[in-house]
Amino acid sequence: MDLPSNKRILSAAQPTGEAHIGNYLGAFKQWVALQDAGNDVCAMIADLHAITAPYDAATFPNTTLRMAALLMAVGLDPKKSVVFIQSHVPAHTEAAWLLTTITPVGDLTRMTQYKDKAKKQKTVGAGLLNYPTLMAADILLYQTEIVPVGEDQTQHLEFARTLARKFNRQFGKTFTEPRAFVLEETARIMSLTDPTRKMSKSDLPASRIGLLDDPSAIPRKIRAAVTDSGTAVNPKKLGPALTNLLTIFATFSEKPFRDVAEEYAGLGYAVVKSALADLLVDRLAPIRNRAEELLWDHGELQRILADGAERAATLANKTLVTMRKRMGLLLPQNE
Ligand code: TYM
């Protein structure tokens, strides 16, 4: 993987349900690699985005903390990167409001994710419609250069770029124009039960491997995963299900896809599945153990997140003051 260095990176995940290997391969793995390549990474838990869909307020604080622990467990180091909770930095909501004033409603109603999610909800809150504007605020506040995401977020990123250009044109250069960083091979990890749909936190548990899944659940889910017609691997004729399983295999074993496909050529699907299950159990164990260790001490986790929020707020507030000035808002005397 060819990685940039010395760039400002921002990425985020919603604390909805348990994060899965799609999130890891499509996004988290790249965040860690970018951090380790000497970039300046802001990693955010997007709780304000998560509450635009139905959720359980009683368990939400815990879900949010689990996502924070998980991000650190996959390798985000709070000494090197800024790890924080979106709602702990009020600049996000204020910047989002300012940006809504230049956001055409038609652009929001045309967003694919909005249309998909709106179909599933009885009443559609305005928060769901404004979701991409809040996401643009997240990105633009940090003068972000690169945003590592899976394929499903690229439309939102394009929206943020358009908004940045529009603001800069209208009020003077304020924002850096961010670009997406998408790894083609893992940009869209598919569901285990339906390889025509992406693996998703909101789908049935059998359709995904959670990063914190019990090790006993992994072989069961992989064994039950849908395969293509046929019984043995034919690297020249791979269907969507085998392509997905082998992509997961190749990425976790850090081998090229072609090599893995050749290695299993002619062998039965059950053999591939059994090897994949072993590999996943092995690779996910340290993540799960580390997350559990971190979750032992909520106080320490909260301290890390408070430090992250303070560092994030310093960066974000600087851009927010510029936005307010450029938009002609009268600043209070002390600013
Ligand atoms: P979220 O929480 O849905 O997902 C987090 C990251 O995981 C990627 N991803 C996948 N990649 C490959 N295959 C899959 N099946 C798969 N499923 C999810 C997502 O593309 C994402 O990169 N709106 C964002 C959160 C957000 C954000 C931001 C992201 C809020 N503000 C600012 C970037 C920048 C979301 O819902 O991600």
Side-chain angles (χ1 to χ4, degrees), residues 255-277:
K255 288 182 188 166
F257 178 90
R258 280 285 132 212
D259 292 7
V260 175
E262 287 304 332
E263 200 180 317
Y264 285 91
L267 296 177
Y269 293 159
V271 180
V272 185
K273 283 180 163 181
S274 154
L276 176 58

Side-chain angles (χ1 to χ4, degrees), residues 67-97:
M67 181 56 98
L70 186 58
L71 292 186
M72 292 178 219
V74 298
L76 280 165
D77 177 353
K79 292 202 189 71
K80 294 186 197 157
S81 297
V82 183
V83 183
F84 69 102
I85 311 279
Q86 188 179 30
S87 67
H88 293 184
V89 182
H92 290 250
T93 37
E94 190 175 339
W97 176 258

Side-chain angles (χ1 to χ4, degrees), residues 120-277:
K120 293 181 196 145
Q121 296 187 14
K122 264 205 222 105
T123 44
V124 177
L128 187 65
L129 183 66
N130 282 318
Y131 183 115
T133 314
L134 177 60
M135 184 162 155
D138 299 338
I139 297 168
L140 301 179
L141 276 174
Y142 296 89
Q143 304 297 343
T144 304
E145 298 169 274
I146 297 173
V147 187
V149 283
E151 195 255 353
D152 61 345
Q153 295 300 322
T154 52
Q155 192 187 34
H156 287 155
L157 205 84
E158 210 36 62
F159 173 89
R161 286 166 61 84
T162 307
L163 217 48
R165 276 198 297 273
K166 187 169 181 185
F167 191 101
N168 287 346
R169 245 193 343 263
Q170 206 163 321
F171 298 110
K173 171 106 177 63
T174 305
F175 299 127
T176 306
E177 221 181 285
R179 56 188 175 84
F181 179 92
V182 182
L183 268 199
E184 214 181 301
E185 315 87 80
T186 53
R188 200 171 163 80
I189 298 295
M190 307 309 272
S191 153
L192 298 178
T193 47
D194 179 358
T196 63
R197 290 157 51 141
K198 71 164 184 160
M199 187 176 282
S200 162
K201 283 180 223 156
S202 55
D203 214 341
L204 293 173
S207 68
R208 59 176 190 268
I209 304 284
L211 293 176
L212 300 178
D213 267 1
D214 193 88
S216 66
I218 298 173
R220 192 162 24 85
K221 289 185 186 179
I222 295 290
R223 254 197 317 272
V226 164
T227 47
D228 304 308
S229 56
T231 51
V233 177
N234 178 355
K236 294 202 177 62
K237 236 182 87 193
L238 289 169
L242 256 291
T243 303
N244 190 42
L245 294 178
L246 292 175
T247 299
I248 297 170
F249 203 126
T251 330
F252 271 105
S253 57
E254 313 265 347
K255 288 182 188 166
F257 178 90
R258 280 285 132 212
D259 292 7
V260 175
E262 287 304 332
E263 200 180 317
Y264 285 91
L267 296 177
Y269 293 159
V271 180
V272 185
K273 283 180 163 181
S274 154
L276 176 58

